[in-house]
Amino acid sequence: DGGITQSPKYLFRKEGQNVTLSCEQNLNHDAMYWYRQDPGQGLRLIYYSQIVNDFQKGDIAEGYSVSREKKESFPLTVTSAQKNPTAFYLCASSIDQGAGEAFFGQGTRLTVV
Amino acid sequence: KNEVEQSPQNLTAQEGEFITINCSYSVGISALHWLQQHPGGGIVSLFMLSSGKKKHGRLIATINIQEKHSSLHITASHPRDSAVYICAVNSGGSNYKLTFGKGTLLTVNP
């Protein structure tokens, strides 16, 4: 079945460590996105990529980095520079950069202790 | 002020009741999305619409572009409908970017 797979579902890291969240899709979508969700707030865009080897900062990119070496994969690294990394992270994809329907993964809950 | 406002924030209903969740937005949009988030966290897209009305099973979504308003209706609600319902808008342009509402927590009691 086609879809988006995020792993792991839960992740614990010590403060000061970088951590990479995985996002893989087999929908043949060009566009992929990373969102952050905090309690009581709407999802906020961290980074997005419209095509392989290209990505753009979203609204809250500071302290995060991404890569898009393959169409299927869009990993997100939460660096030690991110001041408040504990959150729920969602990956999404859409068929193109236009107003296509978005498909979401199951999310990764990151807790930094 | 958030560009996308949802109401109510929380909604509790009895099984079988008709549910309405509202979404108002302040920007021009090319599409509006209704999403469902279950307690596990994963999000499912329910509807994407740019005009009129769409229906899928017991769910109905409407949008009024002139009034910048959309509603999500659930007929004959069931406890399995309990979830957070999120409205999001695509304000168009060359980049796909969704602006999300804060969500409406729906609890349907048996």
Side-chain angles (χ1 to χ4, degrees):
Chain A
D1 288 336
I4 299 180
T5 302
Q6 287 187 243
S7 60
K9 191 172 174 66
Y10 299 97
L11 189 54
F12 295 87
R13 276 297 181 268
K14 290 185 178 180
E15 192 172 341
Q17 289 182 334
N18 291 356
V19 60
T20 297
L21 281 59
S22 170
C23 178
E24 303 276 333
Q25 55 97 358
N26 60 2
L27 300 165
N28 201 33
H29 285 171
D30 287 315
M32 296 186 74
Y33 317 85
W34 273 105
Y35 294 94
R36 170 180 171 137
Q37 187 177 39
D38 293 285
Q41 296 193 40
L43 277 73
R44 292 179 291 168
L45 181 65
I46 304 172
Y47 267 98
Y48 64 97
S49 169
Q50 298 170 350
I51 199 168
V52 174
N53 292 322
D54 183 62
F55 48 83
Q56 307 293 330
K57 292 182 179 180
D59 299 320
I60 55 166
E62 186 175 350
Y64 299 98
S65 66
V66 293
S67 62
R68 188 84 187 277
E69 297 176 1
K70 298 186 299 181
K71 189 175 186 178
E72 303 79 21
S73 178
F74 190 41
L76 173 74
T77 297
V78 184
T79 75
S80 56
Q82 168 48 235
K83 295 176 183 175
N84 187 19
T86 295
F88 188 65
Y89 292 89
L90 279 155
C91 179
S93 71
S94 64
I95 193 164
D96 60 26
Q97 64 184 10
E101 183 178 2
F103 292 79
F104 289 83
Q106 292 299 303
T108 293
R109 188 166 298 280
L110 173 64
T111 302
V112 176
V113 297
Chain B
K1 186 180 185 300
N2 201 21
E3 292 178 339
V4 180
E5 296 283 349
Q6 287 185 236
S7 63
Q9 281 187 300
N10 295 281
L11 181 56
T12 301
Q14 288 301 121
E15 184 172 357
E17 286 185 0
F18 182 81
I19 304 292
T20 296
I21 299 171
N22 296 300
C23 175
S24 297
Y25 53 92
S26 57
V27 296
I29 68 168
S30 57
L32 182 143
H33 303 252
W34 280 104
L35 310 168
Q36 181 190 57
Q37 186 174 32
H38 277 282
I43 289 179
V44 174
S45 176
L46 297 175
F47 296 103
M48 183 182 73
L49 63 165
S50 54
S51 65
K53 175 180 174 178
K54 286 191 176 181
K55 184 176 189 291
H56 181 68
R58 295 181 294 105
L59 301 178
I60 303 166
T62 64
I63 188 169
N64 185 318
I65 297 294
Q66 287 73 29
E67 295 185 3
K68 293 187 167 62
H69 181 268
S70 176
S71 292
L72 176 68
H73 306 286
I74 305 175
T75 62
S77 60
H78 190 276
R80 65 174 175 265
D81 296 326
S82 298
V84 175
Y85 292 85
I86 301 171
C87 173
V89 299
N90 181 331
S91 53
S94 62
N95 299 315
Y96 183 90
K97 182 182 175 182
L98 286 173
T99 302
F100 294 80
K102 294 182 180 181
T104 295
L105 174 60
L106 171 65
T107 303
V108 182
N109 295 317

